[in-house]
Amino acid sequence: MEAEDNVSTAMQFVLLGFSDLPDLQGLLFGMFSIIYIIILTGNSLIIVITRLDPALQKPMYFFLANFSSLEICYVSITLSRILVNLWTQDRRISVLNCATQMCFFLILGTAECFLLAVMAYDRYVAICNPLHYPLIMSQKTCIQLAVGSWISGIPVQIGQTCQIFSLHFCNSNQINHFFCDIPPILKLACGDTSVYELSVYVLVLLFVAIPFMLILASYSKIISTILRLPTARGRTKAFSTCSSHLLVVLLFFGSATSTYFRPKSSHSAGTDKMLSLFYTIVTPMFNPMIYSLRNKDVIAALRKVLLKK
């Protein structure tokens, strides 16, 4: 730390992570390594089978492949750093690396919110407007929606990261978290950070609440349409095509909003870590299982790949 006029500017931070569990470092490294392998394998399999199987050349699976690619990037931002820290026991991270990690994490998190909204819209068109589905969800439209989801948060999240790291940090350079996230970084800032907290809430409303409201609107239309179908079999089939996506939405948005919508005063290190673990690691681990086990087309494609091998 460099002290100037009673204000300290951090040259590097220390990610405390799981340092409060010194006897479990080896176990944690093994556990997180297995989880990382599961996430990479599961999501890579989905990407491969959606590219190779002719039966999965549909918009729904195009977006699912994009979602799996996004999950691999999203998890690698945080989990790779956790593994390095646990293996080397060197928890130091430069300000630049910390800012880079936060920026990519926020960009990919924003992309995930918008991509989940796009996937809900795809299911809405497929179920509520099936005759016009091929026309509305053309290849060009799907590519535009996917690219828009990936890049939508880039300029704003770069700006937010620069704003947060323009703050002065005092008293400590120890981040009581396992990656550089907004709430633990703001805790280290000097003076009043209410303006910065307000800007975080505004962006959360823009990039989390709005996609979530669009998803709710899509599913309200979907459920209304499903309930009007004449046969129970038709209702079951229609609902099965979107139930997996709805479950993923609830898991991701539920834990993420609990982290960012709470005021700074109510944040505790233990709760923040648990919630962050859930939406950054646990949910991506279960996503491939949720999508594959509840989708007959994906299961059939997996069987084809495994039988060929």
Side-chain angles (χ1 to χ4, degrees):
M1 313 282 277
E2 289 183 354
E4 295 179 3
D5 299 324
N6 296 323
V7 176
S8 297
T9 303
M11 303 304 291
Q12 65 179 9
F13 293 112
V14 177
L15 287 166
L16 295 180
F18 304 99
S19 58
D20 55 336
L21 303 168
D23 299 330
L24 300 177
Q25 298 296 292
L27 177 64
L28 288 170
F29 178 81
M31 183 180 71
F32 284 126
S33 297
I34 292 168
I35 290 172
Y36 196 28
I37 291 167
I38 290 170
I39 291 169
L40 292 178
T41 304
N43 285 290
S44 297
L45 263 176
I46 286 178
I47 294 167
V48 170
I49 62 172
T50 53
R51 291 286 294 175
L52 297 180
D53 196 294
L56 302 183
Q57 304 306 306
K58 301 173 184 176
M60 175 182 177
Y61 300 109
F62 170 75
F63 293 127
L64 181 56
N66 270 270
F67 186 71
S68 292
S69 303
L70 184 57
E71 290 286 60
I72 290 172
C73 299
Y74 183 68
V75 170
S76 297
I77 292 295
T78 55
L79 195 45
S80 58
R81 186 77 205 190
I82 294 172
L83 292 172
V84 169
N85 291 351
L86 287 170
W87 180 256
T88 63
Q89 292 297 302
D90 182 3
R91 297 182 172 85
R92 292 173 298 175
I93 183 171
S94 68
V95 172
L96 178 60
N97 286 343
C98 188
T100 302
Q101 185 188 45
M102 178 189 283
C103 188
F104 276 104
F105 175 77
L106 294 174
I107 288 169
L108 293 171
T110 302
E112 184 153 345
C113 291
F114 280 107
L115 191 56
L116 286 169
V118 167
M119 292 168 78
Y121 174 70
D122 171 67
R123 292 299 82 211
Y124 158 73
V125 178
I127 292 171
C128 301
N129 205 355
L131 296 177
H132 295 95
Y133 181 68
L135 182 64
I136 296 172
M137 300 304 291
S138 63
Q139 185 180 16
K140 182 182 177 181
T141 302
C142 290
I143 292 170
Q144 288 174 339
L145 288 170
V147 171
S149 298
W150 278 89
I151 68 173
S152 55
I154 291 175
V156 177
Q157 298 298 6
I158 289 174
Q160 178 169 245
T161 303
C162 292
Q163 183 188 41
I164 288 172
F165 280 88
S166 67
L167 290 165
H168 291 287
F169 303 98
C170 50
N171 301 324
S172 175
N173 67 337
Q174 296 184 342
I175 302 171
N176 196 358
H177 210 359
F178 53 85
F179 72 100
C180 294
D181 199 8
I182 294 174
I185 292 288
L186 285 179
K187 280 187 176 181
L188 305 182
C190 305
D192 184 18
T193 59
S194 57
V195 174
Y196 296 91
E197 287 181 62
L198 181 61
S199 70
V200 171
Y201 291 142
V202 169
L203 290 179
V204 169
L205 280 170
L206 182 64
F207 291 134
V208 178
I210 290 177
F212 186 61
M213 294 303 291
L214 291 173
I215 291 168
L216 288 180
S218 296
Y219 273 102
S220 65
K221 290 283 188 180
I222 288 169
I223 292 168
S224 174
T225 302
I226 289 173
L227 293 175
R228 290 201 302 269
L229 292 176
T231 63
R233 186 177 179 182
R235 289 193 292 269
T236 303
K237 185 178 179 181
F239 189 72
S240 67
T241 63
C242 55
S243 57
S244 302
H245 178 254
L246 186 57
L247 182 57
V248 170
V249 166
L250 293 174
L251 288 172
F252 178 76
F253 280 96
S255 53
T257 51
S258 298
T259 299
Y260 292 103
F261 269 125
R262 289 183 299 141
K264 183 182 174 182
S265 58
S266 68
H267 282 272
S268 69
T271 305
D272 284 352
K273 286 180 189 178
M274 286 300 295
L275 286 169
S276 297
L277 274 174
F278 197 80
Y279 71 82
T280 59
I281 296 172
V282 177
T283 303
M285 181 178 68
F286 285 113
N287 283 349
M289 291 180 253
I290 291 169
Y291 279 112
S292 60
L293 293 176
R294 297 185 64 85
N295 191 300
K296 292 178 181 178
D297 292 337
V298 175
I299 291 171
L302 277 171
R303 281 176 180 164
K304 285 180 188 176
V305 171
L306 294 173
L307 287 172
K308 281 181 182 178
K309 289 184 178 181

